[in-house]
Amino acid sequence: MPRFLKRGMDATAIKAADAKVRETVESILAQIEARGDDAVRDLSQQFDKWSPPSFKLTPQEIEKAIAQVAKRDLDDIKFAQAQVRGFAQKQRDTMKDLEVETLPGVILGHRHIPVNSIGCYVPGGRYPMVASAHMSIVTAKVAGVKRIIACAPPFKGGPHPAIVAAMHFGGADEIYVLGGVQAVAAMALGTETIAPVDMIVGPGNAYVAEAKRQLFGRVGIDSIAGPSEVLIWRMTAQTRAGSLPI
């Protein structure tokens, strides 16, 4: 008899769950569009129990967060970003502008122009995903985006030091401790204190993905990622030796 570690939902349950996510996101977007900062604050308090005087970190708060990161971790962040930056620059170097006169007076071509502003979402609720900051912020910086803002949810009642460090060293111009749909909506739609961006990038849970789907067209997005599952297999000495099936 097979033993199931996990069973997926049936079609009816999936449809109901999708509808709930869609309706919740629609409500949040409508609230933020109508009430701006007040809605963002109410939603952050509701979902993350987080309502600081300002969601945007000051330079002093950024320095304080970075000071909490171990030197080894800072070195790892800088090393990883150097690799991402180096490859992104190589990719950018292949994107050449073109202008050619195909007939007398007929000039054709193309140009590569970065968007003016971008909002990078870095997941960090249960498990801070520091690498997401590398892949979104660093690449946008290499592309030549003029304004890069970044959001990550609070972690244990405050900014996650390693995420803040990654955002800062990656080149973010504005760093916000703000999570979930309210973060994506604030960046995309704008509020009284957050100017809207041209494009939203970064992974997230089902609600964040749905928010990006609903906002697509009003702003650009990178993609709608997920859902995904991760399996961690602990190999024993016997397994490595081939005496146990995998």
Side-chain angles (χ1 to χ4, degrees), residues 33-48:
E33 189 165 25
R35 298 174 50 235
D37 284 333
D38 288 341
V40 169
R41 184 166 298 282
D42 290 345
L43 291 161
S44 180
Q45 178 61 38
Q46 176 185 344
F47 293 119
D48 290 327

Side-chain angles (χ1 to χ4, degrees), residues 1-243:
M1 285 290 292
R3 183 168 66 90
F4 292 92
L5 297 177
K6 181 178 181 181
R7 288 180 180 271
M9 296 185 294
D10 60 28
T12 301
I14 291 174
K15 185 177 181 180
D18 288 345
K20 179 181 178 182
V21 170
R22 184 171 59 253
E23 291 167 5
T24 300
V25 171
E26 286 175 351
S27 173
I28 292 173
L29 296 184
Q31 291 179 60
I32 291 176
E33 189 165 25
R35 298 174 50 235
D37 284 333
D38 288 341
V40 169
R41 184 166 298 282
D42 290 345
L43 291 161
S44 180
Q45 178 61 38
Q46 176 185 344
F47 293 119
D48 290 327
K49 302 295 185 291
W50 176 248
S51 182
S54 173
F55 292 103
K56 181 181 177 180
L57 294 183
T58 65
Q60 293 75 23
E61 289 171 326
I62 292 171
E63 290 179 8
K64 181 179 178 181
I66 294 173
Q68 298 175 51
V69 184
K71 182 180 182 303
R72 171 67 181 271
D73 293 336
L74 285 177
D75 290 343
D76 288 344
I77 287 170
K78 293 177 181 179
F79 175 81
Q81 291 189 347
Q83 311 316 303
V84 174
R85 186 177 296 108
F87 184 66
Q89 186 60 58
K90 294 296 184 183
Q91 289 181 301
R92 181 67 183 85
D93 292 342
T94 69
M95 300 177 185
K96 305 295 185 181
D97 292 346
L98 172 66
E99 184 175 296
V100 58
E101 187 172 12
T102 58
L103 292 171
V106 179
I107 299 174
L108 306 177
H110 64 245
R111 296 177 62 195
H112 293 87
I113 303 173
V115 297
N116 282 319
S117 57
I118 195 169
C120 302
Y121 185 71
V122 179
R126 290 185 181 178
Y127 307 104
M129 298 179 65
V130 178
S132 290
H134 309 336
M135 302 308 295
S136 58
I137 297 169
V138 174
T139 51
K141 198 71 175 179
V142 172
V145 177
K146 295 177 182 178
R147 172 178 173 249
I148 302 172
I149 72 175
C151 286
F155 184 78
K156 296 182 179 180
H160 189 282
I163 288 181
V164 173
M167 289 175 167
H168 175 72
F169 291 119
D173 299 300
E174 302 166 31
I175 297 175
Y176 296 84
V177 183
L178 186 63
V181 177
Q182 57 270 24
V184 173
M187 292 190 290
L189 302 174
T191 70
E192 296 90 333
T193 59
I194 303 176
V197 298
D198 299 319
M199 186 175 185
I200 297 290
V201 301
N205 60 19
Y207 292 90
V208 168
E210 176 62 19
K212 290 169 67 178
R213 187 191 69 78
Q214 292 188 24
L215 289 164
F216 177 56
R218 302 178 69 169
V219 294
I221 64 171
D222 49 356
S223 66
I224 300 176
S228 62
E229 297 289 345
V230 176
L231 172 65
I232 300 176
W233 186 279
R234 182 176 182 274
M235 294 182 66
T236 66
Q238 288 178 308
T239 304
R240 289 193 295 270
S243 59

